[in-house]
C-alpha cells in the first residue's frame, strides 16, 4: 500500500502519530537535510566551539554526543554548573571560576556542603576532559586561510577520542538500515563539501566564525535521499518524489487547491514573460513555472497509474487550522476524465471501514464520552461500537475499567486517603508562604512542596535574595537605632547610602564571590542598596513621627521558637503555623501596652482585602495573632511597609517635590484600630496629611476610612481568617491537589507560575478558575 501526499507539512505529523500508535510499519520517502543528522550536528558543534567561543549549547552537545569516557551524571552536573555561573569562552581555562570558596561553603548545612563539593568535583572532571580534547583546536588561529581552517578542523575530527565517539555512534545505528545509509551519505557529503571549498577558495583568508558559517550554509542546502529499508511497509511519500513501484492500493491525499498546484516563489531576475521574448530570439532559458508545472503533472499522472487494484483520491473540506478549503483544479479534471469514479463522503467511508482493535476502542470511548456529556444520543452512535463496549465489559474487566476511566475527566483532583496519610503523617508545622501557595492553587502546592522538583539555580541575584539582604540590613539598622536613636535622627538622606553600605554583606545571604563579582549582579545590588537606603531614611522619618517604638525585630514564631505558632487542631494531630515577624513596635501608656506588627516589602505588594479573605495573603493577620501571645500587649494594627524606591511620574525638576511623592509611596498599608489616640500616636502629624499610614476610601475623616476598623470589626475579620485557615489546612492534609488556580480582575495565578508546563491548565478546554469576588470593607464595619 502507498500513501501519496500533496503537502507533507499538513499530513506528516498525523501519519507518524497514527502509524506509530497502531504499530503499522511505514517508510517516509523523504530527502533529509544534512543538518538534521546527529553526526552532522556533532561536526557543527565542533565548528562552533571555536566560532562561537565555547557557547554552552555547543559545549554540551559536544559532550553529550555518543559514548565517551565521562559519566553522564557528571556531565549533567557540569551542565548545571556552567549554566548557573554563565561560564563562557576563556572562563573555562581560568581556575578561579571552578574553585570553591571555603568561606562560603563553611556557612552551608552539611547536606548542602556535600552537594556543593560534588558539584565542583564533577564540573572540574568534565572540564579537564573537555579542555584536553579541544585546547589545540580552540587556540589555533582565529583568522587564517580556509585550507588552514580545514586542516585544523580535521586535526580534531581525526583525534582518536573524537574518532572513536563518531565510530561507536555510527556502529550503534548500523543495524538500522535507514540510519546506516543516512550516516554513510552524510560523511561522504561532508568530505565532498570540504574538498570543493578547498579547491574553490582554499587561499581565501576568513575568521573562524565566517568559516563555520560557510560550512553550515553548505550543509543546510544539502539533502540526502534514503532508500526504504524493506518492502514490507506502507510507503508514504510526496507527490513529486514518489513515482516508482506499483502498489495494490494507493491513497492520494490532499487534492486541494491550497496544496496542488503548488504556489511558486519567484526568485529569478528575469520574469517568465521576458524569457518567452528571449526564446523568440533563439535564446532558450528555462521557464521555472512551466518546468515545475510539467514536473508536477507528470508526477501526478505517474502516481495515478501506480494503483494496481484500488485508487483513493481525497479532498479535505478543512485543514488543520480549521480553514475552509476547496478542491484542486486537478481534482476536478480527474472527475471529468473519469465520470464513473465512485464518490464516497468521509462519514460513509469511516462507517464501513474496519479498524484496528486499539483504534476501535478509542473511537468507542470518544462516542461514549459524547453520550455521557450529552453531546450525542445513543441512537446517533454506531451500533458496532456499542456492541464492542458491552463485549469488552463482559469479558475483559481491566479494559472495561480503562474505558470507564476514559469516560471520566481523567484528572487527579485528590490523593487517595492512605497516600495523603503517608505523605503528611510527619507534618507538624506549616509556613505561611506554604499555606498561601495552597490557597493560590492546590496543584501548585503539591508540586512545589510534595513533589519538590529540582529547579535550576539562578546565577543572577534574584528578588528573593534582594529581599533577604534588605531584611538583614533593616534588622541590623533597627537594632542600632534602638540603642541610640538621636544619632540616626540627625542623619541626612545622603548619609543613609553610607550607612547601608556599611551594613551590607554578601555572606549574610550566602552569595559566593563569583556571583558577587558578576557585573550584572553588581548592578542589581547597587540598585538594591540605593532602594534600601531610601527605605531606611523613610523608616527613620516615620519613627520620628510615631510614639510607637521598635521593640522586636526578626521575631520567629512556631514550634520551639520565641513565640508560639498559631495552632490548628485536626483532631488526630495539631499543626502550627510558623513564620518570622520583621518588626514589632510598642506604645506604653497609662492604659497598657499596644503593639503594631510591621512586615517589610521590597516588591510591589500592598494589602488586598480580597486576597486576604481568600487565604492568599494572610501574612499580616497571622503575624498579629502570633504577636498577641506576647504577654498583656494589645495588637492595634498590622502593616506592610515598602522599603524600595518607586518610579515617580512627575514633570517637576524640584528634588523636594520628587522626595515628597516618593515618601507618599512608602506609607504603611494594612488595617488599624478605630482609635483616634492610637492613630495619632502612630502618626503625630496625622491632622495635616498622613505620610505614615495609607488610608483607603473616599471619606475625608481618617477615622472613617475603609481600613480603619473597630475592635469588633478587627475581631470579625480575624475570625473569618482563622476559619478559612483551618478549612485550608484540613483540605491540604486530606490530599487536595486539584489544579484550581485563582483569578482576580482577569489576572490569574497561572501568569507567573513555574509549573505551567507540568499542569497544562491553560490548555484545558473545561478549565475552571477559582474566581475571587471583590469584597467590601462594609462587611467588617459597624452597622
Amino acid at each position: 500500500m502507498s500513501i501519496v501526499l500533496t503537502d507533507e507539512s499538513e499530513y506528516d505529523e498525523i501519519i507518524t502519530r497514527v502509524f506509530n500508535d497502531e504499530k503499522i510499519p511505514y517508510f517516509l520517502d523523504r530527502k533529509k537535510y544534512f543538518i538534521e543528522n546527529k553526526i552532522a550536528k556533532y561536526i557543527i558543534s565542533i565548528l562552533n566551539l571555536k566560532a562561537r567561543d565555547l557557547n554552552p549549547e555547543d559545549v554540551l552537545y559536544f559532550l553529550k554526543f555518543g559514548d565517551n569516557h565521562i559519566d553522564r551524571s557528571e556531565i549533567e552536573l557540569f551542565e548545571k554548573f556552567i549554566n548557573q555561573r554563565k561560564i563562557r569562552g576563556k572562563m573555562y581555562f581560568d581556575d578561579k571560576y571552578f574553585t570553591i570558596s571555603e568561606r562560603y561553603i563553611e556557612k552551608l548545612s552539611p547536606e548542602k556542603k556535600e552537594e556543593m563539593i560534588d558539584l565542583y568535583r564533577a564540573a572540574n572532571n568534565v572540564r579537564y576532559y573537555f579542555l584536553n580534547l579541544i585546547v589545540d583546536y580552540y587556540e589555533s588561529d582565529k583568522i587564517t586561510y580556509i585550507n588552514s581552517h580545514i586542516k585544523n578542523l580535521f586535526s580534531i575530527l581525526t583525534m582518536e577520542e573524537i574518532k572513536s565517539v563518531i565510530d561507536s555512534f555510527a556502529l550503534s545505528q548500523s543495524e538500522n538500515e535507514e540510519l546506516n545509509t543516512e550516516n554513510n551519505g552524510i560523511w561522504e557529503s561532508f568530505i565532498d563539501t570540504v574538498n570543493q571549498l578547498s579547491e574553490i577558495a582554499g587561499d581565501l583568508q576568513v575568521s573562524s566564525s565566517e568559516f563555520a558559517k560557510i560550512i553550515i550554509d553548505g550543509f543546510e542546502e544539502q539533502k540526502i535521499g534514503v532508500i526504504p529499508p524493506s518492502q514490507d511497509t506502507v510507503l508514504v511519500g510526496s507527490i513529486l518524489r514518489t513515482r516508482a513501484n506499483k502498489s495494490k492500493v494507493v491513497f492520494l491525499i490532499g487534492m486541494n487547491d491550497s496544496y496542488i498546484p503548488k504556489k511558486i516563489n519567484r526568485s529569478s531576475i528575469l520574469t517568465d514573460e521576458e524569457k518567452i521574448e528571449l526564446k523568440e530570439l533563439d535564446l532558450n532559458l528555462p521557464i521555472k513555472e512551466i518546468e515545475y508545472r510539467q514536473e508536477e503533472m507528470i508526477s501526478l499522472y505517474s502516481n495515478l497509474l501506480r494503483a494496481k487494484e484500488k485508487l483513493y483520491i481525497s479532498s479535505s473540506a478543512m485543514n488543520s487550522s480549521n480553514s475552509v478549503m476547496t478542491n484542486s483544479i486537478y481534482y476536478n479534471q480527474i472527475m471529468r476524465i473519469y465520470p464513473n469514479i465512485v464518490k464516497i463522503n468521509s462519514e460513509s467511508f469511516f462507517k464501513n471501514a474496519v479498524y484496528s482493535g486499539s483504534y476501535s476502542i478509542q473511537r468507542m470511548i470518544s462516542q461514549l464520552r459524547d453520550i455521557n456529556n450529552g453531546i450525542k444520543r445513543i441512537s446517533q452512535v454506531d451500533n458496532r461500537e456499542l456492541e464492542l463496549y458491552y463485549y469488552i465489559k463482559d469479558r475483559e474487566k481491566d479494559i472495561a475499567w480503562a474505558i470507564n476511566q476514559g469516560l471520566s475527566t481523567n484528572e487527579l483532583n485528590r490523593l487517595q486517603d492512605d497516600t495523603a496519610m503517608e505523605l503528611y503523617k510527619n507534618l507538624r508545622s506549616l509556613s505561611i508562604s506554604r499555606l498561601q501557595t495552597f490557597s493560590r492553587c492546590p496543584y501548585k502546592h503539591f508540586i512545589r512542596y510534595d513533589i519538590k522538583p529540582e529547579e535550576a539555580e539562578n546565577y543572577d541575584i534574584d528578588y528573593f535574595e534582594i529581599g533577604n539582604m534588605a531584611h538583614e540590613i533593616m534588622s541590623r539598622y533597627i537594632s542600632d537605632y534602638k540603642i541610640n536613636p538621636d544619632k540616626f535622627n540627625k542623619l541626612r538622606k545622603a548619609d543613609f547610602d553610607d550607612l547601608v553600605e556599611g551594613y551590607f554583606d554578601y555572606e549574610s545571604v550566602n552569595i559566593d564571590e563569583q556571583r558577587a563579582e558578576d557585573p550584572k549582579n553588581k548592578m542589581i545590588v547597587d540598585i538594591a542598596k540605593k532602594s534600601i537606603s531610601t527605605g531606611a531614611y523613610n523608616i527613620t522619618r516615620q519613627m520620628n513621627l510615631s510614639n510607637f517604638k521598635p521593640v522586636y525585630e526578626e521575631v520567629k514564631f512556631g514550634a520551639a521558637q520565641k513565640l508560639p505558632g498559631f495552632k490548628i487542631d485536626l483532631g488526630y494531630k495539631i499543626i502550627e503555623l510558623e513564620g518570622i515577624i520583621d518588626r514589632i513596635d510598642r506604645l506604653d501608656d497609662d492604659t497598657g501596652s499596644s503593639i503594631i506588627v510591621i512586615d517589610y516589602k521590597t516588591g510591589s505588594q500592598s494589602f488586598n482585602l480580597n486576597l486576604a479573605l481568600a487565604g492568599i495573603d494572610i501574612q499580616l493577620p497571622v503575624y498579629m495573632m502570633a504577636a498577641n501571645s506576647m504577654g498583656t500587649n494589645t495588637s492595634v494594627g498590622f502593616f506592610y511597609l515598602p522599603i524600595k524606591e518607586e518610579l515617580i511620574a512627575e514633570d517637576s525638576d524640584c528634588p523636594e517635590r520628587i522626595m515628597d511623592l516618593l515618601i507618599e509611596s512608602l506609607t504603611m498599608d494594612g488595617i488599624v484600630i478605630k482609635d483616634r489616640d492610637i492613630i495619632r500616636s502612630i502618626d503625630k502629624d496625622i491632622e495635616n496629611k498622613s505620610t505614615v499610614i495609607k488610608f483607603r476610601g473616599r471619606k475625608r475623616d481618617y477615622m472613617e476610612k475603609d481600613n480603619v476598623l473597630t475592635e469588633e470589626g478587627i475581631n470579625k475579620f480575624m475570625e473569618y481568617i482563622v476559619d478559612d485557615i483551618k478549612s485550608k489546612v484540613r483540605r491540604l492534609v486530606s490530599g487536595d491537589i486539584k489544579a484550581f488556580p485563582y483569578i482576580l480582575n482577569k489576572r490569574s495565578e497561572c501568569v507567573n507560575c513555574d509549573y505551567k508546563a507540568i499542569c497544562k491548565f491553560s490548555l484545558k478546554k473545561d478549565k475552571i478558575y477559582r474566581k475571587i469576588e471583590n469584597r467590601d470593607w462594609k462587611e467588617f464595619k459597624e452597622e
Side-chain angles (χ1 to χ4, degrees):
M1 186 177 86
S2 298
I3 297 176
V4 181
L5 307 174
T6 57
D7 188 272
E8 301 165 47
S9 61
E10 181 73 14
Y11 295 102
D12 268 6
E13 184 179 344
I14 300 172
I15 287 173
T16 300
R17 185 179 69 250
V18 172
F19 278 35
N20 286 336
D21 288 346
E22 300 303 323
K23 296 181 174 55
I24 299 172
Y26 68 100
F27 172 74
L28 288 174
D29 186 15
R30 298 282 182 272
K31 275 193 172 182
K32 293 185 69 173
Y33 281 101
F34 183 107
I35 206 165
E36 294 174 0
N37 179 271
K38 290 186 177 180
I39 293 178
K41 289 181 179 179
Y42 183 59
I43 295 172
I44 290 170
S45 74
I46 293 174
L47 274 166
N48 281 331
L49 289 176
K50 187 174 178 180
R52 302 203 304 183
D53 199 20
L54 301 183
N55 182 286
E57 181 183 345
D58 306 313
V59 172
L60 293 171
Y61 194 91
F62 174 80
L63 290 169
K64 291 180 179 181
F65 179 81
D67 293 322
N68 50 49
H69 299 303
I70 294 292
D71 188 271
R72 285 281 166 178
S73 62
E74 289 200 330
I75 294 177
E76 289 175 4
L77 288 172
F78 176 79
E79 179 177 8
K80 178 180 179 180
F81 186 94
I82 65 171
N83 284 334
Q84 285 177 0
R85 290 154 179 77
K86 298 184 179 179
I87 305 296
R88 303 287 190 276
K90 294 288 187 182
M91 294 170 72
Y92 286 98
F93 297 87
D94 195 333
D95 288 340
K96 77 174 184 179
Y97 296 106
F98 293 83
T99 302
I100 196 166
S101 167
E102 292 297 332
R103 189 174 61 175
Y104 166 70
I105 200 171
E106 288 304 322
K107 296 174 68 77
L108 303 178
S109 65
E111 296 80 9
K112 193 69 176 177
K113 181 177 180 179
E114 184 178 353
E115 179 185 326
M116 192 64 65
I117 291 173
D118 288 342
L119 177 64
Y120 272 83
R121 184 188 298 116
N124 277 297
N125 286 346
V126 177
R127 171 194 173 216
Y128 295 141
Y129 168 82
F130 171 65
L131 293 181
N132 185 54
L133 290 177
I134 63 94
V135 61
D136 291 339
Y137 173 67
Y138 177 77
E139 293 184 344
S140 60
D141 292 337
K142 296 287 192 294
I143 300 177
T144 186
Y145 300 104
I146 282 181
N147 277 338
S148 296
H149 281 300
I150 293 173
K151 181 180 178 181
N152 293 332
L153 177 60
F154 273 92
S155 69
I156 187 171
L157 286 174
T158 54
M159 286 178 65
E160 191 59 38
E161 181 74 27
I162 304 294
K163 190 173 180 298
S164 68
V165 169
I166 296 175
D167 289 345
S168 63
F169 179 80
L171 183 62
S172 69
Q173 297 188 325
S174 60
E175 293 184 4
N176 186 315
E177 187 178 345
E178 179 182 347
L179 291 176
N180 192 40
T181 303
E182 178 185 325
N183 290 335
N184 290 334
I186 289 290
W187 188 254
E188 292 172 6
S189 182
F190 166 64
I191 297 298
D192 185 55
T193 298
V194 171
N195 285 338
Q196 289 184 44
L197 179 61
S198 176
E199 291 176 7
I200 296 170
D203 295 332
L204 181 65
Q205 247 189 350
V206 294
S207 67
S208 55
S209 58
E210 289 171 329
F211 173 70
K213 188 176 187 307
I214 293 170
I215 296 292
I216 294 169
D217 286 347
F219 291 172
E220 288 178 339
E221 293 300 317
Q222 295 187 51
K223 293 182 181 180
I224 290 181
V226 183
I227 301 171
S230 69
Q231 296 302 312
D232 190 21
T233 60
V234 177
L235 181 64
V236 183
S238 68
I239 196 166
L240 289 175
R241 180 168 169 77
T242 307
R243 299 184 192 175
N245 300 331
K246 288 185 176 292
S247 298
K248 286 185 178 181
V249 181
V250 173
F251 286 87
L252 182 55
I253 297 177
M255 288 295 286
N256 295 91
D257 61 353
S258 299
Y259 306 143
I260 186 169
K262 288 281 187 188
K263 305 295 186 291
I264 300 175
N265 296 322
R266 295 180 178 274
S267 58
S268 175
I269 296 175
L270 300 176
T271 65
D272 290 346
E273 290 77 11
E274 289 170 334
K275 291 178 181 179
I276 291 173
E277 291 180 13
L278 290 172
K279 186 176 182 180
E280 294 174 356
L281 300 173
D282 294 329
L283 295 172
N284 290 322
L285 296 177
I287 299 175
K288 182 177 180 181
E289 186 166 355
I290 293 175
E291 283 191 346
Y292 185 86
R293 290 284 170 256
Q294 289 173 345
E295 182 182 3
E296 191 175 53
M297 289 295 293
I298 292 170
S299 298
L300 174 60
Y301 290 136
S302 175
N303 281 295
L304 290 174
L305 296 173
R306 290 180 63 210
K308 292 194 289 185
E309 295 182 8
K310 288 185 179 181
L311 170 67
Y312 290 90
I313 302 174
S314 78
S315 174
S316 179
M318 303 183 77
N319 64 11
S320 58
S321 302
N322 291 327
S323 300
V324 177
M325 295 197 298
T326 57
N327 295 334
S328 165
I329 56 172
Y330 296 155
Y331 177 92
N332 296 329
Q333 287 174 358
I334 292 170
M335 293 299 109
R336 286 197 298 270
I337 295 172
Y338 301 103
N340 295 326
I341 286 180
V342 178
K343 294 183 181 179
I344 306 173
N345 61 36
S346 59
E347 186 175 344
S348 299
F349 177 81
F350 289 122
K351 185 174 183 179
N352 296 312
V354 178
Y355 301 109
S356 68
S358 60
Y359 193 65
S360 294
I361 291 175
Q362 289 179 28
R363 283 178 54 84
M364 175 191 63
I365 290 174
S366 176
Q367 299 275 9
L368 292 175
R369 185 181 290 116
D370 288 345
I371 294 172
N372 191 55
N373 295 333
I375 299 172
K376 285 185 177 181
R377 296 189 299 274
I378 292 180
S379 59
Q380 296 174 296
V381 177
D382 192 325
N383 287 333
R384 290 180 308 165
E385 289 164 2
L386 287 176
E387 290 170 3
L388 175 63
Y389 169 69
Y390 291 116
Y391 175 84
I392 293 174
K393 189 171 183 180
D394 290 340
R395 290 164 177 76
E396 301 287 348
K397 290 183 179 179
D398 290 342
I399 298 179
W401 175 85
I403 292 170
N404 289 324
Q405 287 295 107
L407 290 175
S408 69
T409 59
N410 200 28
E411 291 183 16
L412 185 60
N413 294 329
R414 188 175 180 276
L415 298 174
Q416 294 182 356
D417 290 342
D418 56 346
T419 303
M421 185 67 72
E422 180 66 24
L423 184 61
Y424 300 120
K425 66 180 181 182
N426 295 322
L427 186 66
R428 293 290 179 267
S429 61
L430 280 173
S431 67
I432 306 301
S433 59
R434 177 170 181 175
L435 188 54
Q436 288 181 158
T437 301
F438 179 82
S439 297
R440 290 174 178 275
C441 176
Y443 189 77
K444 180 176 183 177
H445 164 270
F446 176 64
I447 297 297
R448 174 177 291 175
Y449 292 98
D450 297 324
I451 301 298
K452 299 177 182 176
E454 184 178 356
E455 299 178 12
E457 294 182 21
N458 190 2
Y459 186 81
D460 294 335
I461 293 176
D462 57 26
Y463 288 114
F464 178 76
E465 290 167 316
I466 291 296
N468 284 345
M469 292 177 193
H471 282 75
E472 180 73 19
I473 290 171
M474 296 312 303
S475 177
R476 294 185 185 184
Y477 168 58
I478 295 298
S479 295
D480 289 347
Y481 177 90
K482 289 190 299 183
I483 297 171
N484 187 3
D486 290 339
K487 169 187 173 183
F488 296 98
N489 291 338
K490 296 175 183 177
L491 296 180
R492 299 168 301 167
K493 169 66 175 70
D495 296 329
F496 282 88
D497 293 342
D498 295 332
L499 183 71
V500 168
E501 188 68 45
Y503 285 127
F504 183 79
D505 182 6
Y506 276 110
E507 289 187 31
S508 64
V509 283
N510 284 340
I511 296 176
D512 61 57
E513 287 91 334
Q514 292 173 12
R515 293 181 68 210
E517 292 175 3
D518 180 78
K520 182 178 179 181
N521 286 338
K522 283 184 177 180
M523 180 189 71
I524 292 172
V525 170
D526 286 342
I527 293 172
K529 286 178 184 176
K530 185 178 180 183
S531 185
I532 296 169
S533 169
T534 300
Y537 168 77
N538 178 60
I539 288 173
T540 307
R541 185 193 61 80
Q542 288 180 347
M543 288 190 295
N544 278 333
L545 290 172
S546 178
N547 290 324
F548 280 79
K549 300 304 176 185
V551 288
Y552 302 108
E553 57 278 342
E554 298 291 309
V555 185
K556 294 182 180 180
F557 62 90
Q561 298 298 339
K562 183 173 184 177
L563 295 179
F566 174 69
K567 295 180 175 62
I568 300 101
D569 190 347
L570 301 177
Y572 62 94
K573 67 156 47 172
I574 293 176
I575 293 180
E576 277 191 278
L577 294 187
E578 60 183 15
I580 304 175
I581 303 172
D582 289 340
R583 198 175 101 207
I584 297 175
D585 288 6
R586 187 175 67 202
L587 170 67
D588 296 317
D589 57 22
D590 296 338
T591 62
S593 296
S594 302
I595 60 174
I596 58 175
V597 171
I598 295 171
D599 188 62
Y600 300 132
K601 289 299 173 188
T602 53
S604 57
Q605 184 173 354
S606 58
F607 182 74
N608 186 304
L609 177 67
N610 301 313
L611 295 181
L613 297 176
I616 293 166
D617 184 7
I618 57 171
Q619 266 185 300
L620 292 176
V622 174
Y623 289 176
M624 186 171 179
M625 286 187 284
N628 277 336
S629 64
M630 297 178 62
T632 58
N633 298 311
T634 302
S635 296
V636 294
F638 53 74
F639 305 96
Y640 285 132
L641 175 53
I643 49 172
K644 70 183 187 70
E645 283 195 332
E646 295 279 357
L647 292 175
I648 303 298
E650 174 62 29
D651 295 333
S652 172
D653 293 330
C654 175
E656 290 77 13
R657 169 60 181 164
I658 294 174
M659 179 55 67
D660 288 343
L661 292 172
L662 180 59
I663 292 302
E664 286 181 21
S665 72
L666 298 178
T667 52
M668 299 194 302
D669 187 12
I671 290 177
V672 65
I673 196 167
K674 190 175 182 179
D675 184 314
R676 196 177 295 274
D677 290 335
I678 290 293
I679 295 175
R680 283 174 173 170
S681 294
I682 296 174
D683 183 1
K684 291 183 285 190
D685 200 30
I686 185 70
E687 303 302 338
N688 294 321
K689 180 182 180 182
S690 181
T691 57
V692 177
I693 302 174
K694 181 177 183 177
F695 290 109
R696 298 178 179 274
R698 297 183 178 181
K699 299 285 182 69
R700 282 182 174 272
D701 186 358
Y702 60 82
M703 290 289 288
E704 301 303 320
K705 293 292 187 180
D706 289 344
N707 56 327
V708 178
L709 302 180
T710 63
E711 183 178 351
E712 292 75 14
I714 292 177
N715 289 338
K716 184 178 178 181
F717 170 81
M718 298 298 286
E719 287 172 6
Y720 187 100
I721 297 295
V722 168
D723 289 343
D724 186 65
I725 287 174
K726 290 179 178 178
S727 172
K728 295 278 176 32
V729 172
R730 289 191 181 96
R731 282 175 47 207
L732 188 156
V733 297
S734 70
D736 184 352
I737 60 169
K738 183 178 181 180
F740 196 28
Y742 84 88
I743 187 168
L744 177 65
N745 298 329
K746 298 183 179 181
R747 183 175 179 84
S748 79
E749 175 63 17
C750 297
V751 173
N752 297 316
C753 181
D754 294 328
Y755 310 116
K756 285 188 288 188
I758 301 174
C759 174
K760 295 184 170 55
F761 177 84
S762 60
L763 302 178
K764 297 174 183 175
K765 293 181 180 179
D766 56 346
K767 60 185 179 184
I768 300 175
Y769 285 102
R770 175 194 173 198
K771 188 175 181 181
I772 297 177
E773 302 292 343
N774 286 310
R775 306 284 290 269
D776 199 309
W777 287 94
K778 291 179 181 178
E779 294 180 46
F780 307 101
K781 307 288 277 188
E782 64 275 13
E783 296 296 334

